[in-house]
Amino acid sequence: MAARKPKSDTYNQIIEGSKELFYNYGYKKTRYKDICNVVDISPGTLHYFFKKKELIAAVILDDIAKDLHKIIYGLNRIHSNLRYLFILEYI
């Protein structure tokens, strides 16, 4: 299987700019044109990467879900380690 290509700078700028706009103005009030203005790209360039605003939101939500998974996994490991230490102390 071929190695996955890294995302381009433009792709990452679109995601980061969209996060900022969604946070400040909300998803519904953020327009495609607003994203183009913040990232300083043409609508055609934005369309090349994301055909719809919903697809940008899906990528952002997927990133959030991955971050939450890492946090929960880390908390579970800490809990397991603390439980193990507690059991060792009272054996």
Coordinates of all heavy atoms in Angstrom, one line a residue:
M1 N 0.8 -1.2 0.0 CA 0.0 0.0 0.0 C 0.9 1.2 0.0 O 1.9 1.3 0.7 CB -0.9 0.0 1.2 CG -1.8 1.2 1.3 SD -3.3 1.0 2.3 CE -2.7 0.7 3.9
A2 N 0.5 2.2 -0.8 CA 1.3 3.5 -0.9 C 1.2 4.3 0.4 O 0.2 4.3 1.0 CB 0.8 4.3 -2.1
A3 N 2.2 5.0 0.7 CA 2.2 5.9 1.8 C 1.2 7.0 1.6 O 1.1 7.5 0.5 CB 3.6 6.5 2.1
R4 N 0.6 7.4 2.7 CA -0.4 8.5 2.6 C 0.3 9.9 2.4 O 1.3 10.2 3.1 CB -1.2 8.5 3.9 CG -2.5 9.3 3.7 CD -3.3 9.0 5.0 NE -4.6 9.7 4.8 CZ -5.4 9.9 5.8 NH1 -5.2 9.4 6.9 NH2 -6.5 10.5 5.6
K5 N -0.1 10.6 1.4 CA 0.5 11.9 1.1 C 0.1 12.9 2.3 O -1.0 12.9 2.7 CB 0.0 12.5 -0.2 CG 0.5 11.8 -1.4 CD -0.1 12.2 -2.7 CE 0.3 13.6 -3.0 NZ -0.2 14.1 -4.3
P6 N 1.1 13.7 2.7 CA 0.7 14.7 3.7 C -0.2 15.8 3.1 O -0.2 16.0 1.9 CB 2.1 15.3 4.1 CG 3.0 15.0 2.9 CD 2.5 13.8 2.3
K7 N -1.0 16.3 3.9 CA -2.0 17.4 3.5 C -1.2 18.6 3.1 O -0.2 18.9 3.7 CB -3.0 17.7 4.6 CG -3.8 16.5 5.1 CD -4.7 16.1 4.0 CE -5.6 14.9 4.5 NZ -6.3 14.2 3.5
S8 N -1.7 19.4 2.1 CA -1.0 20.6 1.7 C -1.2 21.7 2.7 O -2.1 21.7 3.5 CB -1.5 21.0 0.3 OG -2.8 21.5 0.4
D9 N -0.3 22.7 2.5 CA -0.5 23.9 3.4 C -1.8 24.6 3.2 O -2.5 25.0 4.2 CB 0.6 24.9 3.1 CG 2.0 24.5 3.6 OD1 2.1 23.6 4.5 OD2 3.0 25.0 3.1
T10 N -2.3 24.6 2.0 CA -3.6 25.2 1.7 C -4.7 24.5 2.4 O -5.6 25.1 3.0 CB -3.9 25.3 0.2 OG1 -2.8 26.0 -0.5 CG2 -5.2 25.9 -0.2
Y11 N -4.7 23.1 2.3 CA -5.7 22.3 3.0 C -5.7 22.6 4.5 O -6.7 22.9 5.0 CB -5.3 20.8 2.7 CG -6.3 19.9 3.4 CD1 -7.3 19.3 2.7 CD2 -6.1 19.5 4.7 CE1 -8.2 18.4 3.3 CE2 -6.9 18.6 5.3 CZ -8.0 18.0 4.6 OH -8.8 17.1 5.3
N12 N -4.5 22.6 5.1 CA -4.4 22.9 6.5 C -4.9 24.3 6.9 O -5.5 24.6 7.9 CB -3.0 22.7 7.0 CG -2.6 21.2 7.0 OD1 -3.4 20.4 7.2 ND2 -1.4 21.0 6.7
Q13 N -4.6 25.3 6.0 CA -5.0 26.7 6.2 C -6.5 26.8 6.1 O -7.2 27.5 6.9 CB -4.4 27.6 5.2 CG -2.9 27.8 5.4 CD -2.2 28.6 4.3 OE1 -2.8 28.8 3.3 NE2 -1.0 28.9 4.5
I14 N -7.1 26.0 5.2 CA -8.6 26.0 5.1 C -9.2 25.5 6.4 O -10.2 26.1 6.9 CB -9.1 25.2 3.9 CG1 -8.7 25.9 2.6 CG2 -10.6 24.9 3.9 CD1 -8.8 25.0 1.3
I15 N -8.7 24.4 6.9 CA -9.2 23.8 8.1 C -9.0 24.7 9.3 O -10.0 25.0 10.0 CB -8.5 22.4 8.4 CG1 -8.8 21.4 7.3 CG2 -8.9 21.9 9.8 CD1 -10.3 21.1 7.1
E16 N -7.9 25.3 9.5 CA -7.6 26.2 10.6 C -8.5 27.5 10.5 O -9.0 28.0 11.5 CB -6.1 26.6 10.7 CG -5.3 25.4 11.1 CD -5.7 24.7 12.4 OE1 -6.0 25.4 13.4 OE2 -5.8 23.5 12.4
G17 N -8.6 28.1 9.3 CA -9.4 29.2 9.1 C -10.8 29.0 9.3 O -11.6 29.8 9.9
S18 N -11.3 27.8 8.9 CA -12.7 27.4 9.1 C -13.0 27.2 10.6 O -14.1 27.6 11.1 CB -13.0 26.2 8.3 OG -12.9 26.4 6.9
K19 N -12.1 26.6 11.3 CA -12.2 26.4 12.7 C -12.5 27.7 13.4 O -13.4 27.9 14.3 CB -11.0 25.7 13.4 CG -10.9 24.3 13.2 CD -9.7 23.8 13.9 CE -9.3 22.4 13.6 NZ -8.1 21.9 14.3
E20 N -11.6 28.7 13.1 CA -11.7 30.0 13.7 C -13.1 30.7 13.3 O -13.7 31.2 14.2 CB -10.6 30.9 13.1 CG -10.5 32.3 13.6 CD -9.4 33.1 13.0 OE1 -8.4 32.6 12.7 OE2 -9.6 34.3 12.8
L21 N -13.5 30.6 12.1 CA -14.8 31.2 11.7 C -16.0 30.5 12.4 O -16.9 31.1 12.9 CB -14.9 31.1 10.2 CG -14.1 32.1 9.4 CD1 -14.1 31.8 7.9 CD2 -14.5 33.5 9.6
F22 N -15.9 29.1 12.4 CA -17.0 28.4 13.0 C -17.1 28.7 14.5 O -18.2 28.8 15.1 CB -16.8 26.9 12.8 CG -16.9 26.4 11.4 CD1 -16.5 25.1 11.1 CD2 -17.5 27.2 10.4 CE1 -16.6 24.6 9.8 CE2 -17.6 26.7 9.1 CZ -17.1 25.4 8.8
Y23 N -15.9 28.9 15.1 CA -15.9 29.2 16.6 C -16.5 30.6 16.8 O -17.3 30.8 17.7 CB -14.5 29.1 17.1 CG -14.4 29.5 18.6 CD1 -14.8 28.6 19.6 CD2 -13.9 30.7 18.9 CE1 -14.7 28.9 20.9 CE2 -13.8 31.1 20.3 CZ -14.2 30.2 21.3 OH -14.1 30.5 22.6
N24 N -16.0 31.6 16.0 CA -16.4 33.0 16.2 C -17.8 33.3 15.8 O -18.5 34.1 16.4 CB -15.4 33.9 15.5 CG -14.1 33.9 16.2 OD1 -14.0 33.8 17.4 ND2 -13.0 34.1 15.4
Y25 N -18.3 32.7 14.7 CA -19.5 33.1 14.1 C -20.6 32.0 14.0 O -21.7 32.2 13.7 CB -19.3 33.7 12.7 CG -18.4 34.8 12.7 CD1 -17.1 34.7 12.2 CD2 -18.8 36.1 13.2 CE1 -16.2 35.8 12.2 CE2 -17.9 37.1 13.2 CZ -16.6 37.0 12.7 OH -15.7 38.0 12.8
G26 N -20.1 30.8 14.3 CA -21.0 29.6 14.2 C -21.0 29.0 12.8 O -20.6 29.7 11.8
Y27 N -21.3 27.8 12.7 CA -21.3 27.1 11.4 C -22.3 27.7 10.4 O -21.9 27.9 9.3 CB -21.6 25.6 11.7 CG -21.8 24.8 10.4 CD1 -20.6 24.4 9.7 CD2 -23.0 24.5 9.9 CE1 -20.8 23.7 8.5 CE2 -23.2 23.8 8.7 CZ -22.0 23.4 8.0 OH -22.2 22.7 6.8
K28 N -23.5 27.9 10.9 CA -24.5 28.4 10.0 C -24.2 29.8 9.4 O -24.5 30.1 8.2 CB -25.9 28.4 10.7 CG -26.5 27.1 10.8 CD -27.9 27.2 11.2 CE -28.7 25.9 11.1 NZ -30.1 26.0 11.4
K29 N -23.6 30.7 10.2 CA -23.4 32.0 9.7 C -22.1 32.1 8.9 O -21.9 33.2 8.3 CB -23.3 33.0 10.9 CG -24.7 33.2 11.6 CD -24.6 34.2 12.6 CE -26.0 34.4 13.3 NZ -25.9 35.4 14.4
T30 N -21.2 31.1 9.0 CA -20.0 31.2 8.2 C -20.3 30.8 6.7 O -20.9 29.7 6.5 CB -19.0 30.2 8.7 OG1 -18.7 30.6 10.1 CG2 -17.7 30.2 7.9
R31 N -20.0 31.7 5.8 CA -20.2 31.4 4.4 C -18.9 30.9 3.7 O -17.8 31.1 4.2 CB -20.7 32.7 3.7 CG -22.0 33.2 4.3 CD -22.3 34.6 3.7 NE -21.2 35.5 4.0 CZ -21.0 36.7 3.4 NH1 -21.8 37.1 2.4 NH2 -20.0 37.4 3.7
Y32 N -19.1 30.2 2.6 CA -18.0 29.8 1.8 C -17.1 30.9 1.5 O -15.9 30.8 1.5 CB -18.6 29.2 0.5 CG -17.9 28.0 -0.1 CD1 -17.8 26.8 0.5 CD2 -17.3 28.1 -1.4 CE1 -17.2 25.7 -0.1 CE2 -16.7 27.1 -2.0 CZ -16.6 25.9 -1.3 OH -16.0 24.8 -1.9
K33 N -17.7 32.1 1.2 CA -16.9 33.3 0.8 C -16.1 33.8 2.0 O -14.9 34.2 1.8 CB -17.9 34.4 0.4 CG -17.2 35.7 -0.1 CD -18.3 36.7 -0.5 CE -17.6 38.0 -0.9 NZ -18.6 39.0 -1.3
D34 N -16.6 33.6 3.2 CA -15.9 34.0 4.4 C -14.6 33.2 4.6 O -13.5 33.7 4.9 CB -16.7 33.9 5.7 CG -18.0 34.7 5.7 OD1 -17.9 35.8 5.1 OD2 -19.0 34.3 6.2
I35 N -14.7 31.9 4.3 CA -13.6 31.0 4.4 C -12.5 31.4 3.4 O -11.3 31.5 3.7 CB -14.0 29.5 4.2 CG1 -14.9 29.1 5.3 CG2 -12.8 28.6 4.2 CD1 -15.7 27.8 5.1
C36 N -13.0 31.7 2.2 CA -12.0 32.2 1.1 C -11.3 33.4 1.5 O -10.1 33.5 1.3 CB -12.8 32.4 -0.2 SG -13.4 30.9 -1.0
N37 N -12.0 34.4 2.1 CA -11.4 35.6 2.5 C -10.4 35.4 3.6 O -9.3 36.0 3.6 CB -12.5 36.6 3.0 CG -13.3 37.1 1.8 OD1 -12.9 37.1 0.7 ND2 -14.5 37.6 2.1
V38 N -10.7 34.6 4.6 CA -9.8 34.4 5.8 C -8.5 33.7 5.3 O -7.4 34.0 5.7 CB -10.5 33.6 6.9 CG1 -9.5 33.0 7.9 CG2 -11.5 34.5 7.6
V39 N -8.7 32.7 4.4 CA -7.5 31.9 4.0 C -6.8 32.6 2.8 O -5.7 32.2 2.5 CB -8.0 30.5 3.6 CG1 -6.8 29.6 3.2 CG2 -8.7 29.8 4.8
D40 N -7.5 33.6 2.2 CA -6.9 34.3 1.1 C -6.7 33.4 -0.2 O -5.6 33.3 -0.7 CB -5.6 35.0 1.4 CG -5.3 36.1 0.4 OD1 -6.2 36.6 -0.3 OD2 -4.1 36.4 0.2
I41 N -7.8 32.7 -0.5 CA -7.8 31.8 -1.7 C -9.1 32.1 -2.5 O -10.0 32.8 -2.0 CB -7.8 30.3 -1.3 CG1 -9.0 30.0 -0.4 CG2 -6.5 30.0 -0.7 CD1 -9.1 28.5 -0.1
S42 N -9.1 31.7 -3.7 CA -10.3 31.9 -4.6 C -11.3 30.8 -4.3 O -11.0 29.7 -3.7 CB -9.9 31.8 -6.1 OG -9.5 30.4 -6.4
P43 N -12.6 31.1 -4.6 CA -13.6 30.1 -4.4 C -13.3 28.8 -5.2 O -13.6 27.7 -4.7 CB -14.9 30.7 -5.0 CG -14.6 32.2 -4.8 CD -13.1 32.4 -5.0
G44 N -12.6 28.9 -6.3 CA -12.3 27.7 -7.1 C -11.3 26.8 -6.3 O -11.4 25.6 -6.4
T45 N -10.3 27.5 -5.7 CA -9.3 26.7 -4.9 C -10.0 26.0 -3.7 O -9.8 24.9 -3.5 CB -8.2 27.7 -4.4 OG1 -7.6 28.3 -5.5 CG2 -7.2 26.9 -3.6
L46 N -10.9 26.8 -3.0 CA -11.6 26.1 -1.9 C -12.5 24.9 -2.4 O -12.5 23.9 -1.8 CB -12.5 27.2 -1.2 CG -13.3 26.7 0.0 CD1 -12.4 26.0 1.0 CD2 -14.1 27.8 0.6
H47 N -13.1 25.1 -3.6 CA -13.9 24.1 -4.1 C -13.1 22.9 -4.5 O -13.5 21.7 -4.5 CB -14.7 24.6 -5.3 CG -15.7 23.6 -5.9 ND1 -16.9 23.3 -5.3 CD2 -15.6 22.8 -7.0 CE1 -17.5 22.4 -6.0 NE2 -16.8 22.1 -7.1
Y48 N -11.9 23.1 -5.0 CA -10.9 22.0 -5.3 C -10.7 21.1 -4.1 O -10.7 19.9 -4.2 CB -9.6 22.6 -5.8 CG -8.6 21.5 -6.0 CD1 -8.5 20.7 -7.1 CD2 -7.6 21.3 -5.0 CE1 -7.6 19.7 -7.3 CE2 -6.6 20.3 -5.2 CZ -6.6 19.5 -6.3 OH -5.6 18.6 -6.5
F49 N -10.6 21.7 -2.9 CA -10.3 20.9 -1.7 C -11.6 20.4 -1.0 O -11.6 19.3 -0.5 CB -9.5 21.7 -0.7 CG -8.1 21.9 -1.1 CD1 -7.7 23.1 -1.7 CD2 -7.1 21.0 -0.8 CE1 -6.4 23.3 -2.1 CE2 -5.8 21.1 -1.2 CZ -5.4 22.3 -1.8
F50 N -12.6 21.2 -1.0 CA -13.9 20.9 -0.4 C -15.1 21.3 -1.2 O -15.2 22.5 -1.4 CB -14.0 21.5 1.0 CG -12.9 21.1 2.0 CD1 -11.8 21.8 2.2 CD2 -13.1 19.9 2.7 CE1 -10.8 21.4 3.0 CE2 -12.1 19.4 3.5 CZ -10.9 20.2 3.7
K51 N -15.8 20.4 -1.7 CA -17.0 20.7 -2.6 C -18.1 21.4 -1.8 O -18.8 22.2 -2.4 CB -17.5 19.5 -3.2 CG -16.5 18.6 -4.0 CD -15.9 19.3 -5.1 CE -15.0 18.4 -5.9 NZ -13.7 19.0 -6.2
K52 N -18.2 21.2 -0.5 CA -19.2 21.8 0.3 C -18.7 22.1 1.7 O -17.7 21.5 2.2 CB -20.4 20.8 0.5 CG -21.1 20.4 -0.8 CD -22.4 19.7 -0.5 CE -22.2 18.3 -0.2 NZ -23.4 17.5 -0.1
K53 N -19.3 23.1 2.3 CA -18.9 23.5 3.7 C -19.0 22.3 4.7 O -18.3 22.2 5.6 CB -19.8 24.7 4.1 CG -19.4 25.3 5.4 CD -20.2 26.6 5.7 CE -21.6 26.2 6.1 NZ -22.3 27.4 6.7
E54 N -20.0 21.5 4.4 CA -20.3 20.3 5.3 C -19.0 19.4 5.4 O -18.8 18.8 6.4 CB -21.5 19.5 4.8 CG -22.8 20.3 5.0 CD -23.1 21.2 3.8 OE1 -22.3 21.3 2.8 OE2 -24.1 21.9 3.9
L55 N -18.3 19.3 4.3 CA -17.1 18.4 4.3 C -16.0 19.0 5.1 O -15.3 18.3 5.7 CB -16.7 18.2 2.8 CG -17.7 17.5 1.9 CD1 -17.1 17.5 0.5 CD2 -17.9 16.1 2.4
I56 N -15.9 20.3 5.2 CA -14.9 21.0 6.1 C -15.3 20.7 7.5 O -14.4 20.3 8.3 CB -14.8 22.5 5.8 CG1 -14.5 22.8 4.4 CG2 -13.9 23.1 6.8 CD1 -14.6 24.3 4.0
A57 N -16.6 20.8 7.8 CA -17.0 20.6 9.2 C -16.8 19.1 9.6 O -16.4 18.8 10.7 CB -18.5 20.9 9.3
A58 N -17.0 18.2 8.6 CA -16.8 16.8 8.9 C -15.3 16.5 9.3 O -15.0 15.7 10.2 CB -17.2 15.9 7.7
V59 N -14.4 17.1 8.6 CA -12.9 17.0 8.9 C -12.6 17.5 10.3 O -11.9 16.9 11.1 CB -12.1 17.6 7.8 CG1 -10.6 17.7 8.2 CG2 -12.2 16.9 6.5
I60 N -13.2 18.7 10.6 CA -12.9 19.3 11.9 C -13.5 18.4 13.0 O -12.8 18.1 14.0 CB -13.5 20.7 11.9 CG1 -12.8 21.6 11.0 CG2 -13.5 21.2 13.4 CD1 -13.4 23.0 10.8
L61 N -14.7 17.9 12.8 CA -15.3 17.0 13.8 C -14.6 15.7 14.0 O -14.4 15.2 15.1 CB -16.8 16.8 13.5 CG -17.7 18.0 13.6 CD1 -19.1 17.7 13.1 CD2 -17.8 18.5 15.1
D62 N -14.1 15.2 12.9 CA -13.3 14.0 12.9 C -12.0 14.2 13.7 O -11.6 13.4 14.6 CB -12.9 13.5 11.5 CG -12.3 12.1 11.5 OD1 -12.8 11.2 12.1 OD2 -11.2 12.0 10.9
D63 N -11.3 15.3 13.5 CA -10.1 15.7 14.3 C -10.5 15.8 15.8 O -9.7 15.3 16.6 CB -9.5 17.0 13.8 CG -8.9 16.9 12.5 OD1 -8.6 15.7 12.0 OD2 -8.6 17.9 11.9
I64 N -11.6 16.4 16.1 CA -12.0 16.6 17.5 C -12.2 15.2 18.1 O -11.8 14.9 19.3 CB -13.3 17.5 17.6 CG1 -12.9 18.9 17.3 CG2 -13.9 17.4 19.0 CD1 -14.1 19.8 17.1
A65 N -12.9 14.3 17.4 CA -13.2 13.0 17.9 C -11.9 12.2 18.1 O -11.8 11.5 19.1 CB -14.1 12.2 16.9
K66 N -10.9 12.3 17.3 CA -9.6 11.7 17.4 C -8.9 12.2 18.7 O -8.4 11.4 19.5 CB -8.7 11.9 16.2 CG -9.2 11.0 15.0 CD -8.3 11.4 13.8 CE -8.8 10.6 12.6 NZ -8.1 11.0 11.4
D67 N -9.0 13.5 18.9 CA -8.4 14.1 20.1 C -9.0 13.6 21.4 O -8.4 13.3 22.3 CB -8.4 15.6 20.0 CG -7.5 16.2 19.0 OD1 -6.6 15.5 18.5 OD2 -7.7 17.4 18.6
L68 N -10.4 13.5 21.3 CA -11.1 13.0 22.5 C -10.8 11.6 22.8 O -10.6 11.2 23.9 CB -12.6 13.2 22.3 CG -13.1 14.6 22.4 CD1 -14.6 14.7 22.0 CD2 -12.9 15.2 23.8
H69 N -10.6 10.8 21.7 CA -10.3 9.4 21.9 C -8.9 9.3 22.6 O -8.7 8.5 23.5 CB -10.3 8.7 20.6 CG -9.9 7.3 20.7 ND1 -8.6 6.8 20.5 CD2 -10.7 6.2 20.9 CE1 -8.6 5.5 20.7 NE2 -9.9 5.1 20.9
K70 N -7.9 10.1 22.2 CA -6.6 10.1 22.8 C -6.7 10.4 24.3 O -6.0 9.8 25.1 CB -5.7 11.0 22.1 CG -5.2 10.6 20.7 CD -4.4 11.6 20.1 CE -4.1 11.3 18.6 NZ -3.4 12.4 17.9
I71 N -7.5 11.4 24.6 CA -7.7 11.9 26.0 C -8.3 10.8 26.8 O -7.8 10.4 27.9 CB -8.5 13.2 26.1 CG1 -7.7 14.3 25.5 CG2 -8.9 13.5 27.5 CD1 -8.6 15.6 25.2
I72 N -9.4 10.2 26.3 CA -10.0 9.1 27.1 C -9.1 7.9 27.2 O -9.0 7.3 28.3 CB -11.3 8.7 26.3 CG1 -12.3 9.9 26.5 CG2 -11.9 7.4 26.9 CD1 -13.6 9.7 25.6
Y73 N -8.4 7.5 26.2 CA -7.5 6.4 26.3 C -6.4 6.7 27.3 O -6.1 5.9 28.1 CB -6.8 6.2 24.9 CG -5.8 5.1 24.9 CD1 -6.2 3.7 25.0 CD2 -4.4 5.3 24.9 CE1 -5.3 2.7 25.1 CE2 -3.5 4.3 25.0 CZ -3.9 3.0 25.0 OH -3.0 2.0 25.1
G74 N -5.9 7.9 27.3 CA -4.9 8.3 28.3 C -5.5 8.3 29.8 O -4.8 7.8 30.7
L75 N -6.7 8.7 29.9 CA -7.3 8.6 31.3 C -7.5 7.2 31.7 O -7.3 6.9 32.9 CB -8.6 9.4 31.3 CG -8.5 10.9 31.2 CD1 -9.9 11.5 31.0 CD2 -7.8 11.5 32.3
N76 N -7.9 6.3 30.8 CA -8.1 4.9 31.1 C -6.7 4.3 31.5 O -6.7 3.5 32.5 CB -8.7 4.2 29.9 CG -10.1 4.4 29.8 OD1 -10.8 4.8 30.7 ND2 -10.6 4.2 28.6
R77 N -5.7 4.7 30.9 CA -4.3 4.1 31.2 C -3.9 4.6 32.6 O -3.4 3.9 33.4 CB -3.3 4.6 30.2 CG -3.4 3.8 28.9 CD -2.3 4.0 28.0 NE -1.0 3.9 28.8 CZ 0.2 3.9 28.2 NH1 0.3 4.0 26.9 NH2 1.3 3.7 28.9
I78 N -4.2 5.9 32.9 CA -3.9 6.5 34.2 C -4.7 5.7 35.3 O -4.1 5.3 36.3 CB -4.1 8.0 34.3 CG1 -3.1 8.7 33.4 CG2 -4.1 8.5 35.7 CD1 -3.4 10.2 33.2
H79 N -6.0 5.5 35.0 CA -6.8 4.8 36.0 C -6.3 3.4 36.2 O -6.2 3.0 37.4 CB -8.3 4.8 35.5 CG -9.2 4.0 36.3 ND1 -9.5 2.7 36.1 CD2 -9.8 4.4 37.5 CE1 -10.4 2.3 37.0 NE2 -10.6 3.3 37.9
S80 N -5.9 2.7 35.2 CA -5.4 1.4 35.3 C -4.1 1.3 36.2 O -4.0 0.5 37.0 CB -5.2 0.7 34.0 OG -6.4 0.6 33.3
N81 N -3.3 2.3 35.9 CA -2.0 2.3 36.6 C -2.2 2.7 38.1 O -1.6 2.1 39.0 CB -1.0 3.4 36.0 CG -0.5 3.0 34.6 OD1 -0.6 1.8 34.3 ND2 -0.1 3.9 33.9
L82 N -3.1 3.6 38.4 CA -3.4 3.9 39.8 C -4.0 2.8 40.5 O -3.7 2.5 41.6 CB -4.3 5.2 39.8 CG -3.7 6.5 39.4 CD1 -4.8 7.6 39.4 CD2 -2.6 6.9 40.4
R83 N -4.9 2.1 39.8 CA -5.6 0.9 40.4 C -4.5 -0.2 40.7 O -4.5 -0.8 41.8 CB -6.6 0.3 39.5 CG -7.6 -0.6 40.2 CD -8.7 -1.0 39.4 NE -8.3 -2.0 38.4 CZ -8.9 -2.3 37.3 NH1 -10.0 -1.7 37.0 NH2 -8.4 -3.3 36.6
Y84 N -3.6 -0.4 39.8 CA -2.5 -1.4 40.0 C -1.6 -1.0 41.2 O -1.3 -1.8 42.0 CB -1.7 -1.5 38.7 CG -0.5 -2.4 38.8 CD1 -0.8 -3.8 38.8 CD2 0.8 -2.0 38.9 CE1 0.3 -4.7 38.9 CE2 1.8 -2.8 39.0 CZ 1.6 -4.2 39.0 OH 2.7 -5.1 39.1
L85 N -1.3 0.3 41.3 CA -0.5 0.8 42.4 C -1.2 0.6 43.7 O -0.6 0.3 44.7 CB 0.0 2.2 42.2 CG 1.0 2.5 41.0 CD1 1.1 4.0 40.8 CD2 2.3 1.8 41.3
F86 N -2.5 0.9 43.7 CA -3.3 0.8 44.9 C -3.3 -0.7 45.4 O -3.1 -1.0 46.6 CB -4.7 1.3 44.7 CG -5.6 1.2 45.9 CD1 -5.5 2.1 46.9 CD2 -6.5 0.2 46.0 CE1 -6.3 2.1 48.0 CE2 -7.4 0.1 47.1 CZ -7.3 1.1 48.1
I87 N -3.5 -1.6 44.5 CA -3.6 -3.0 44.8 C -2.2 -3.5 45.3 O -2.2 -4.2 46.3 CB -4.0 -3.9 43.6 CG1 -5.4 -3.6 43.2 CG2 -3.8 -5.3 43.8 CD1 -5.9 -4.1 41.9
L88 N -1.1 -3.1 44.7 CA 0.2 -3.4 45.2 C 0.5 -2.9 46.6 O 1.1 -3.6 47.4 CB 1.3 -2.9 44.2 CG 1.5 -3.6 42.9 CD1 2.6 -2.9 42.1 CD2 1.8 -5.1 43.1
E89 N 0.0 -1.8 46.9 CA 0.3 -1.2 48.2 C -0.5 -2.0 49.3 O 0.0 -2.1 50.4 CB -0.1 0.3 48.3 CG 0.3 0.9 49.6 CD 0.3 2.4 49.5 OE1 0.6 2.9 48.4 OE2 -0.1 3.0 50.5
Y90 N -1.6 -2.6 49.0 CA -2.4 -3.2 50.0 C -2.3 -4.8 49.9 O -3.1 -5.5 50.6 CB -3.8 -2.8 50.0 CG -3.9 -1.3 50.4 CD1 -4.0 -0.3 49.5 CD2 -3.9 -1.0 51.8 CE1 -4.0 1.0 49.9 CE2 -3.9 0.3 52.2 CZ -4.0 1.3 51.3 OH -4.0 2.6 51.7
I91 N -1.4 -5.3 49.2 CA -1.2 -6.7 49.1 C -0.1 -7.1 50.2 O 0.8 -6.6 50.5 CB -0.7 -7.2 47.7 CG1 -1.9 -7.0 46.8 CG2 -0.2 -8.6 47.8 CD1 -1.6 -7.5 45.4

